[in-house]
Amino acid sequence: KKTLEGRQTRLDILRTLDDRTDAIRERAMSSYLRKEVAEDDIYDALIAAITATHHPNDLVSIPSTPEYDAYGLRMEMVHMRV
């Protein structure tokens, strides 16, 4: 995700999932300095938003039965089923 090829691959995938990808990326890139927000952080945020809003019935949790932390928050990673 740190190489030009890796960033391009991620961007291509994001574009297939949401047609607003380029507009959101451009706005974020022009609104923040790279020392504040790295380009790959923008892609991470985009995929998190797309996952949460576009495919709520296709989410998979790792682990399938997560533990809870001291604050009652689930300790898990969630991704779209592919």
Side-chain angles (χ1 to χ4, degrees):
K1 74 180 192 178
K2 299 286 186 182
T3 67
L4 178 60
E5 181 181 358
R7 287 191 304 270
Q8 188 60 51
T9 299
R10 293 179 85 198
L11 191 55
D12 291 343
I13 292 168
L14 287 165
R15 285 177 178 137
T16 67
L17 299 171
D18 194 302
D19 60 3
R20 299 169 297 170
T21 293
D22 289 320
I24 294 168
R25 177 191 172 275
E26 288 305 315
R27 182 164 184 188
M29 293 287 285
S30 65
S31 297
Y32 299 96
L33 299 173
R34 292 298 69 78
K35 67 181 182 178
E36 296 172 326
V37 178
E39 187 173 358
D40 63 296
D41 294 333
I42 295 167
Y43 297 161
D44 290 344
L46 272 165
I47 197 61
I50 290 168
T51 298
T53 59
H54 292 349
H55 304 281
N57 296 322
D58 292 324
L59 300 180
V60 177
S61 174
I62 300 173
S64 58
T65 306
E67 296 180 26
Y68 290 82
D69 69 8
Y71 299 99
L73 300 174
R74 293 164 59 116
M75 298 190 310
E76 65 184 330
M77 293 189 315
V78 178
H79 65 90
M80 288 187 317
R81 183 182 337 269
V82 288

